[in-house]
Amino acid sequence: MLSVLRVHLPSDIPIVGCELTPYVLLRRPDKTVTTDDVPESAPLDGHFLRFKWYRIQSDKKVTVCSVHPSEQATLQCLGCVKAKIPIAKSYHCSPKCFSDAWQHHRVLHDRAASAVNENGNEEEEIFGRFNSTGSGVLNASLTGSASSTSLTNGSTPLYPAAVTQRSGGETWFEVGRSKTYTPTADDIGHVLKFECVVVDAETKLPVGHSSTLLTSRVIPAPSPSPRRLIPVSGADMLGNLHSDGRITSSGNFTVLSYNILSDSYASSELYSYCPSWALSWPYRRQNLLREIVGYRADIVCLQEVQNDHFEEFFAPELDKHGYQALYKRKTNEVYSGNVHTIDGCATFFRRDRFSHVKKYEVEFNKAAQSLTEVAVQTTQKKAALNRLVKDNVALIVVLEAKFSNQGAENPGKRQLLCVANTHVNVPQELKDVKIWQVHTLLKGLEKIAASADIPMLVCGDFNSVPGSAPHSLLAMGKVDPMHTELLVDPLAILRPHSKLTHQLPLVSAYSSFLRGVGLGLEQQRRKMDLATNEPLFTNCTRDFIGTLDYIFYTADSLTVESLLELLDEDSLRKDTALPSPEWSSDHIALLAEFRCVPRPRR
């Protein structure tokens, strides 16, 4: 007979909005073991599985910590209550938690204070009792009435709530009848119970005992403070990417570049500081999607997108938001794992803003094979290929704008745009390979530029810090022959050094923070490296902090109108790096708003 051997949840902590999918191990009548579902519509030997989810509601109300949502709150910041900040952000699990988070937490107070026209008396009342150590006025006696309003949002459960049991001050409500369940805001602070039982297909009665599991208390999905769009072209208004209205004028467009951290790389060994539930893919994918959709970019360039995640999640989900998707998977001469988990580059664009004209795929492995055929001695070809072949790719897309800002000079002229998206994932010691791949990509873009009068964008994770040879090649159009990274060239693929050039007038978009004029720029300049004109970091882990990601544009045909504000270390939790519960990649997203400008007459 069909029997349940084991039920298990991959993550013990359920989060609002993140689907729970239990692992159910079955023994079939023929004694084989399987994880396949046995629904009522397809019974096995006269039996099927019935699933139910319950919410356990205690008469004692529970609140959760805003910093460590898996912990129960014991303190409440009265400053948040007075400032009418969302109540969920006012709770902390300990005095140390509140003290450590104070620098970040105070930003909420500052923004709330500015939103009420800087009421001096009220601000003094809120801040006057916080001293330099970060301790503050706290309500250490959390009662049921203090938290009850934040535990529900009035959402209607999928199934009508039915009281199934009440004992010892607990009431059990049925909330789902499928194998999977997605917690809602009504579940916050409550334990969920999953029940699986074998049912006789004829009598519809359970056979044997049910298998159950209990979750931890449901926690709200962490919500980082929105990142604003900062004008750099002299405008005096700040755009908010989380508002309902569009932030760009009809002739402008926005481009997002983001390495989302492939699940295959997101191991607990590498990112031990990130809670396991926040590192799990079911949580990260939802958090990443919320972030990406919230930016409302016209063009989205993502790196480290797994093949299966593109097909099963990002493409269909972003399609719902009006995006068309293009993808280039890495080649797999080196990779030996599951072909579905190979990552690649994905480019999305809004169908109402652009149409697809052409797609080019760059496989650096093929370029390496061509190079070794003509430039490497026969005896060295195998060693050369072992060094050069790294599976990296680039996706180049030519789009046509459905809007126009050509003006009266060129009425009706097609506005084309070329967007390159790449991830140069090469070990640091192979500096020659990294330079060669960037140079190969730029030469390919030069050929496209020679065939059409077309603005260009070069986006991606280049794994190269500002001032490195690849960055110099991109930003300056050449590499100093005395650059130390050129000394690593065992295959002589970088010689003569004079060939390491290109003619594209590329400029890094974020350098506009140092050149632009407008409100909010001074704060952003403090997050920039004045020596390199680049952000202080776009990648932040316990072992490394620095800039690896860029958006380059052709300055003779595009101009930067605004940029997504940068994060600083105060924007991150004091006790963590990236990824974190708030930000689900070890990289930060970059976003720039552009306007096409007429090319100068030659």
Side-chain angles (χ1 to χ4, degrees):
M1 188 185 77
L2 185 69
S3 60
V4 178
L5 297 178
R6 184 188 178 205
V7 293
H8 169 70
L9 271 178
S11 175
D12 294 330
I13 300 178
I15 304 120
V16 170
C18 295
E19 185 179 78
L20 296 171
T21 305
Y23 171 86
V24 180
L25 188 65
L26 305 174
R27 177 177 284 126
R28 296 172 178 267
D30 62 3
K31 305 302 182 183
T32 60
V33 175
T34 181
T35 58
D36 293 340
D37 196 8
V38 183
E40 185 175 2
S41 58
L44 186 63
D45 197 27
H47 296 85
F48 66 91
L49 293 180
R50 176 185 292 163
F51 305 108
K52 286 188 179 181
W53 285 91
Y54 302 93
R55 178 197 308 135
I56 304 175
Q57 293 192 189
S58 171
D59 292 344
K60 180 181 178 181
K61 302 297 182 182
V62 175
T63 53
V64 294
C65 175
S66 61
V67 179
H68 307 100
S70 59
E71 301 295 328
Q72 186 172 333
T74 61
L75 306 172
Q76 185 179 26
C77 172
L78 292 183
C80 289
V81 177
K82 291 177 182 291
K84 298 181 180 179
I85 292 166
I87 195 168
K89 296 183 181 293
S90 68
Y91 298 123
H92 296 268
C93 57
S94 69
K96 184 179 186 303
C97 165
F98 182 75
S99 177
D100 288 348
W102 173 241
Q103 288 300 110
H104 175 84
H105 186 83
R106 182 165 184 164
V107 174
L108 300 176
H109 292 221
D110 292 340
R111 290 186 175 180
S114 64
V116 293
N117 297 320
E118 299 183 29
N119 185 322
N121 293 334
E122 184 176 347
E123 184 169 314
E124 182 179 353
E125 188 174 348
I126 293 172
F127 296 136
R129 287 166 284 177
F130 286 88
N131 60 35
S132 60
T133 63
S135 59
V137 182
L138 299 171
N139 177 5
S141 176
L142 292 180
T143 63
S145 61
S147 61
S148 60
T149 57
S150 68
L151 296 181
T152 63
N153 67 353
S155 61
T156 303
L158 183 63
Y159 296 92
V163 178
T164 57
Q165 180 180 341
R166 180 174 174 81
S167 64
E170 289 184 345
T171 305
W172 292 37
F173 290 90
E174 182 183 326
V175 293
R177 293 183 181 178
S178 64
K179 184 177 181 179
T180 62
Y181 178 68
T182 302
T184 70
D186 291 332
D187 299 318
I188 293 175
H190 301 299
V191 171
L192 299 175
K193 177 183 176 181
F194 172 70
E195 180 182 271
C196 173
V197 64
V198 177
V199 175
D200 187 293
E202 184 175 342
T203 66
K204 301 296 190 290
L205 295 175
V207 178
H209 297 290
S210 61
S211 298
T212 63
L213 59 80
L214 297 178
T215 70
S216 301
R217 296 185 187 276
V218 176
I219 64 174
S223 55
S225 299
R227 293 171 64 188
R228 298 171 298 169
L229 201 66
I230 309 295
V232 296
S233 60
D236 58 0
M237 293 295 290
L238 297 181
N240 190 319
L241 289 167
H242 292 250
S243 63
D244 290 331
R246 291 200 60 80
I247 53 174
T248 58
S249 65
S250 60
N252 295 0
F253 63 93
T254 51
V255 179
L256 173 75
S257 184
Y258 197 5
N259 180 328
I260 62 170
L261 179 59
S262 168
D263 183 47
S264 58
Y265 304 147
S267 67
S268 56
E269 291 77 22
L270 278 177
Y271 304 105
S272 58
Y273 49 84
C274 183
S276 59
W277 59 265
L279 203 56
S280 69
W281 181 243
Y283 171 74
R284 288 204 309 118
R285 71 176 186 176
Q286 293 295 339
N287 204 35
L288 287 165
L289 182 66
R290 277 195 296 268
E291 182 185 1
I292 292 165
V293 169
Y295 291 136
R296 298 174 175 269
D298 296 309
I299 301 169
V300 176
C301 296
L302 303 181
Q303 302 89 43
E304 287 196 21
V305 181
Q306 283 184 199
N307 187 57
D308 55 341
H309 294 163
F310 173 79
E311 294 178 351
E312 298 169 9
F313 183 71
F314 284 109
E317 288 298 322
L318 287 173
D319 176 70
K320 298 175 185 176
H321 294 274
Y323 288 95
Q324 184 170 330
L326 298 165
Y327 183 70
K328 176 57 183 173
R329 193 185 74 186
K330 286 184 178 178
T331 46
N332 60 337
E333 278 84 349
V334 176
Y335 187 80
S336 58
N338 186 336
V339 68
H340 298 295
T341 63
I342 299 176
D343 66 286
C345 298
T347 299
F348 305 84
F349 61 90
R350 285 187 176 275
R351 287 186 291 264
D352 62 339
R353 301 279 285 165
F354 292 94
S355 58
H356 177 222
V357 176
K358 197 164 186 176
K359 170 185 172 184
Y360 300 90
E361 297 182 348
V362 179
E363 295 185 0
F364 294 109
N365 284 5
K366 288 184 178 178
Q369 291 165 356
S370 299
L371 176 68
T372 54
E373 286 296 325
V374 298
V376 178
Q377 296 179 7
T378 304
T379 56
Q380 294 182 309
K381 283 183 178 179
K382 184 175 181 180
L385 285 174
N386 286 338
R387 187 175 183 86
L388 293 173
V389 169
K390 293 293 172 279
D391 290 345
N392 294 331
V393 296
L395 175 61
I396 303 172
V397 179
V398 177
L399 304 174
E400 180 178 355
K402 293 184 177 180
F403 54 88
S404 175
N405 54 7
Q406 292 290 334
E409 292 183 6
N410 298 293
K413 181 181 177 182
R414 298 175 72 193
Q415 179 61 70
L416 298 178
L417 179 70
C418 180
V419 183
N421 179 11
T422 192
H423 181 199
V424 183
N425 189 10
V426 176
Q428 291 300 320
E429 65 271 15
L430 302 181
K431 300 184 187 302
D432 55 324
V433 180
K434 194 178 297 186
I435 300 168
W436 170 76
Q437 287 193 0
V438 172
H439 185 246
T440 300
L441 172 61
L442 290 170
K443 285 302 176 184
L445 291 173
E446 272 191 329
K447 292 179 181 178
I448 297 174
S451 64
D453 181 17
I454 183 170
M456 289 196 166
L457 293 163
V458 186
C459 307
D461 173 6
F462 291 86
N463 268 297
S464 301
V465 297
S468 64
H471 178 265
S472 297
L473 183 58
L474 283 158
M476 306 300 293
K478 61 182 179 180
V479 182
D480 186 335
M482 302 304 292
H483 200 294
T484 55
E485 291 183 9
L486 298 183
L487 297 175
V488 181
D489 188 17
L491 301 175
I493 58 175
L494 306 180
R495 300 172 198 164
H497 297 157
S498 58
K499 76 176 183 180
L500 296 177
T501 63
H502 68 87
Q503 301 303 313
L504 300 172
L506 294 179
V507 176
S508 175
Y510 270 77
S511 65
S512 296
F513 269 149
L514 297 175
R515 299 191 310 274
V517 292
L519 292 176
L521 288 182
E522 196 56 44
Q523 184 179 10
Q524 299 305 309
R525 285 173 180 143
R526 291 196 291 269
K527 306 171 189 176
M528 298 285 291
D529 183 346
L530 300 182
T532 63
N533 292 346
E534 296 289 1
L536 290 174
F537 72 89
T538 64
N539 179 256
C540 178
T541 68
R542 282 279 171 86
D543 301 321
F544 174 83
I545 181 166
T547 292
L548 303 174
D549 309 85
Y550 308 92
I551 298 175
F552 287 96
Y553 68 99
T554 46
D556 65 341
S557 55
L558 294 169
T559 184
V560 179
E561 295 291 297
S562 51
L563 294 164
L564 185 65
E565 68 178 333
L566 294 166
L567 293 179
D568 54 29
E569 293 182 64
D570 288 340
S571 300
L572 307 176
R573 293 300 188 193
K574 183 177 179 181
D575 59 348
T576 192
L578 297 178
S580 68
E582 291 81 12
W583 306 102
S584 288
S585 175
D586 55 345
H587 294 251
I588 66 170
L590 300 179
L591 183 143
E593 179 188 5
F594 293 99
R595 178 170 54 86
C596 295
V597 296
R599 289 181 183 269
R601 295 181 183 276
R602 288 182 170 86

